[in-house]
Amino acid sequence: MEPLDRFDIAIMRALEREGRLSNNALAEKVGLSPSACSRRLDRLEAAGAIAGYHARLSNRALGHPITVMVHIGLSGQSERQLSEFEAAVRRCPNVLVCFLMSGEYDYLLRVVARDLADFERIHKTHLSAFPHVVRINTSFALREVLDRPAVSLDPGC
């Protein structure tokens, strides 16, 4: 991708603040014609600088107030083992985030559950049944302090 210029940054900053802007409103905010704004937006999306648009839903409102950070250790790290584990993780709807990690554990998952009994079910039927799992370490989140979808374009700290 070519370097971002001031119009690209302005488009991304405006969408970061208000992702539901129409193209005309976005163009007006950043000082471009609607057609030029649309072309730039298409380019930013195609390049992956804008990864998508979505509503941020509340897990609590959806009946899943428990968040658990789960460290997973596998029996090995061959391409086949990693691929099989990752395919299984994708099939578990309670796993919201999965990172391949360096360090003591191979993966870090963010899992949501309705309550402790529901997490026990998830642990028995999914987490411990995922292929090649040999170690599981869980930590229950007491309170969410911050959950940013991305680094802000506005200057901070």
Side-chain angles (χ1 to χ4, degrees):
M1 179 177 177
E2 42 189 275
L4 301 175
D5 66 15
R6 68 182 181 91
F7 288 111
D8 295 332
I9 297 291
I11 288 169
M12 294 171 69
R13 185 173 281 135
L15 289 173
E16 178 184 39
R17 290 187 191 121
E18 190 179 351
R20 296 178 67 173
L21 284 172
S22 70
N23 184 62
N24 287 342
L26 180 60
E28 187 175 316
K29 277 189 180 289
V30 300
L32 289 170
S33 71
S35 60
C37 184
S38 180
R39 281 192 303 276
R40 283 177 175 269
L41 191 55
D42 289 345
R43 184 177 50 79
L44 290 167
E45 291 169 355
I50 297 175
Y53 304 87
H54 66 277
R56 292 199 53 167
L57 306 178
S58 163
N59 290 312
R60 181 173 297 283
L62 294 172
H64 290 81
I66 305 293
T67 299
V68 187
M69 305 309 286
V70 181
H71 289 89
I72 301 278
L74 301 184
S75 58
Q77 291 189 341
S78 71
E79 185 62 36
R80 181 184 61 78
Q81 289 170 313
L82 297 178
S83 294
E84 289 173 359
F85 175 82
E86 290 171 11
V89 165
R90 286 184 185 96
R91 291 189 296 270
C92 182
N94 294 84
V95 176
L96 302 183
V97 178
C98 175
F99 294 104
L100 176 62
M101 303 295 290
S102 66
E104 183 178 353
Y105 288 93
D106 298 304
Y107 287 92
L108 173 63
L109 312 178
R110 186 174 68 193
V111 177
V112 293
R114 291 187 298 269
D115 51 33
L116 289 177
D118 187 40
F119 180 74
E120 181 181 9
R121 175 195 61 80
I122 294 164
H123 189 282
K124 285 180 187 176
T125 62
H126 294 286
L127 302 177
S128 60
F130 287 157
H132 314 294
V133 170
V134 293
R135 287 182 303 156
I136 299 174
N137 180 298
T138 59
S139 298
F140 288 81
L142 300 177
R143 177 170 47 99
E144 183 176 287
V145 177
L146 180 67
D147 182 15
R148 289 187 180 117
V151 175
S152 176
L153 291 169
D154 287 326
C157 303

